[in-house]
Amino acid sequence: MELRKPVPPQVRRTSTNWRVLVVENNTGDMETLATGLRRHGHQVEGVGTGNAALQAYQGADIVLLDLELPDLDGLDVCRSIRSLSDVPLIAVTGWGTELDRVLGLQAGADDYLVKPYGFRELVARMDAVMRRSRPQVHTEQVVLRGPLRIDAASREVSLHGRVVELTRKEFDLLYLLACHPETVVSRKRIMQQVWGGSWSRRTVDTHVSSLRGKLGASDWIVTVRGVGFRFGGG
């Protein structure tokens, strides 16, 4: 199974108009579903195979995945997408036993809907999954951590009263860590909230190294091997 590494997507939308990837092996069902979703204002891309889904998922806000695919096991497709992305995913399938549901959810689906289903129920489940997937918004406008001051409104950082010039992503990374000073923030969460979900270990490490240099000490950001990073306090 060939899985394309995700490319940097746009920030996930917070409105009710989403980019929906419909993975459905029945052309008639796909067209009916796509028409209904477009009438609700969504952008829809439809594919009919697992390999096509693995090439297209990174451009979607939400994925509707038929588990009965002609080329690949739908559960394997679900696991592969989930291994690299937190994109909301609903399994939509004719497999309706309790074991089927358990396997689908264990494979990484956020919800599981059995055919035949009502369109309004599907839309309601999509709304619920998207609500749960929205990243938490930081409420602290000014974060003070010892001599370090981070102003979210002006996006200005100062240390001992002197301004520290940061790039946009450096600021976002520092702010995320400083808002959770007692928490180890995973690399995956960092990539999701700062870069929108694209995965690159080198990207995170480069920005952490740059931040340490600009703050003048490596203790500001502590590496927790195998997990991620936490705010150290200098």
Side-chain angles (χ1 to χ4, degrees):
M1 180 186 303
E2 181 182 357
L3 181 62
R4 180 189 295 175
K5 293 284 186 179
V7 297
Q10 297 178 354
V11 175
R12 184 170 297 162
R13 303 175 185 184
T14 56
S15 71
T16 57
N17 302 117
W18 308 312
R19 296 165 297 183
V20 184
L21 175 64
V22 177
V23 187
E24 171 60 64
N25 67 357
N26 184 296
T27 303
D29 289 348
M30 180 191 295
E31 292 177 353
T32 299
L33 180 54
T35 298
L37 292 170
R38 290 187 179 112
R39 286 175 178 169
H40 277 68
H42 303 303
Q43 299 177 33
V44 181
E45 178 180 1
V47 298
T49 67
N51 276 315
L54 296 177
Q55 301 301 309
Y57 78 90
Q58 69 268 27
D61 294 312
I62 184 169
V63 177
L64 305 180
L65 175 64
D66 184 357
L67 298 182
E68 301 175 84
L69 299 172
D71 57 340
L72 301 175
D73 185 318
L75 292 176
D76 287 340
V77 174
C78 186
R79 292 188 192 97
S80 296
I81 292 175
R82 185 55 71 233
S83 70
L84 285 176
S85 174
D86 288 328
V87 61
L89 187 153
I90 300 177
V92 182
T93 178
W95 300 344
T97 68
E98 181 182 9
L99 178 59
D100 290 330
R101 290 185 176 91
V102 169
L103 292 175
L105 295 171
Q106 288 180 339
D110 296 288
D111 202 351
Y112 194 102
L113 190 59
V114 179
K115 300 176 182 180
Y117 56 85
F119 182 76
R120 285 183 296 180
E121 180 184 1
L122 172 64
V123 171
R125 288 177 180 268
M126 290 171 64
D127 286 340
V129 167
M130 291 299 285
R131 283 197 304 271
R132 294 195 298 268
S133 74
R134 288 172 187 161
Q136 293 183 350
V137 177
H138 301 308
T139 57
E140 292 184 82
Q141 289 299 305
V142 177
V143 179
L144 298 175
R145 300 288 183 258
L148 184 68
R149 184 180 188 274
I150 306 171
D151 190 323
S154 65
R155 297 183 67 84
E156 184 176 273
V157 175
S158 60
L159 181 63
H160 296 291
R162 300 182 62 179
V163 174
V164 180
E165 297 291 343
L166 301 181
T167 67
R168 183 167 61 89
K169 293 303 185 183
E170 287 171 351
F171 179 91
D172 291 341
L173 173 57
L174 180 62
Y175 184 53
L176 172 62
L177 295 174
C179 283
H180 303 85
E182 306 299 326
T183 303
V184 178
V185 183
S186 70
R187 290 176 179 273
K188 186 174 184 179
R189 180 178 177 185
I190 290 171
M191 291 306 301
Q192 183 64 41
Q193 294 193 219
V194 177
W195 279 271
S198 62
W199 178 257
S200 171
R201 183 186 184 93
R202 179 176 296 179
T203 296
V204 179
D205 291 344
T206 298
H207 282 73
V208 167
S209 177
S210 178
L211 272 174
R212 286 169 172 163
K214 291 181 178 182
L215 294 175
S218 61
D219 293 345
W220 282 108
I221 302 176
V222 178
T223 300
V224 180
R225 188 177 299 275
V227 182
F229 302 92
R230 67 174 175 83
F231 187 79

